[in-house]
Amino acid sequence: MGKDARGVPGALRRRLAVVLAVLTAAGVLALAAPGAAQAASAPCAGRKVRTLSFPTGSVLVYRSGDWLCAYTVQRNPGTERKISVSLQVRGHVAVRKTRKHSRRSETVRVHTGHRPVRVKGSVGRGEGSWSWARY
């Protein structure tokens, strides 16, 4: 059997190398998992392109490729109110989500290509709309 200069057999050396590789991979995954969990908790994928404010809240708009994603957030969270968000691509029907919640609306996602988009959002009685902009 082959032994190295310290007298350790080759099979044992290979097993130790495999165990060390597995432990290193587990450590890397343990360090990367908290960052992945935070990224997964974001309601929309992509980069934030606009925050559109109105008196009772704001609409956050994100872009990922040719897709837009938006949701409405209350200015003072905690009170359950009717919250809605709407995206309409020029030439298409508006996509709208409405619910009663204490923090934010559901997300709306539409394929825009390079067409203008109308964004609307409301929290309680306050509302805001932005007409035909390219994001």
Side-chain angles (χ1 to χ4, degrees):
M1 286 211 204
K3 293 185 177 186
D4 66 357
R6 290 179 223 110
V8 179
L12 180 60
R13 202 173 51 231
R14 284 189 297 273
R15 285 185 188 152
L16 287 173
V18 169
V19 168
L20 183 62
V22 169
L23 288 175
T24 303
V28 168
L29 288 175
L31 292 175
Q38 287 178 349
S41 66
C44 287
R47 63 184 176 89
K48 184 162 53 165
V49 291
R50 189 84 37 107
T51 300
L52 306 164
S53 297
F54 53 95
T56 57
S58 58
V59 178
L60 285 80
V61 182
Y62 290 80
R63 183 171 214 39
S64 178
D66 287 344
W67 292 84
L68 271 186
C69 177
Y71 62 96
T72 304
V73 179
Q74 280 196 42
R75 183 154 298 201
N76 299 313
T79 308
E80 190 170 281
R81 296 181 186 147
K82 183 177 164 187
I83 305 174
S84 69
V85 63
S86 172
L87 287 177
Q88 181 180 3
V89 179
R90 176 78 68 134
H92 294 273
V93 177
V95 178
R96 182 180 176 113
K97 298 276 180 103
T98 303
R99 72 176 179 173
K100 284 189 99 171
H101 200 265
S102 61
R103 290 199 177 166
R104 67 175 185 85
S105 69
E106 295 181 56
T107 59
V108 171
R109 189 169 182 249
V110 294
H111 185 268
T112 61
H114 296 286
R115 295 183 300 259
V117 178
R118 177 184 290 167
V119 178
K120 292 183 182 181
S122 70
V123 175
R125 293 184 182 186
E127 66 177 28
S129 67
W130 299 269
S131 189
W132 306 122
R134 293 181 192 243
Y135 294 101

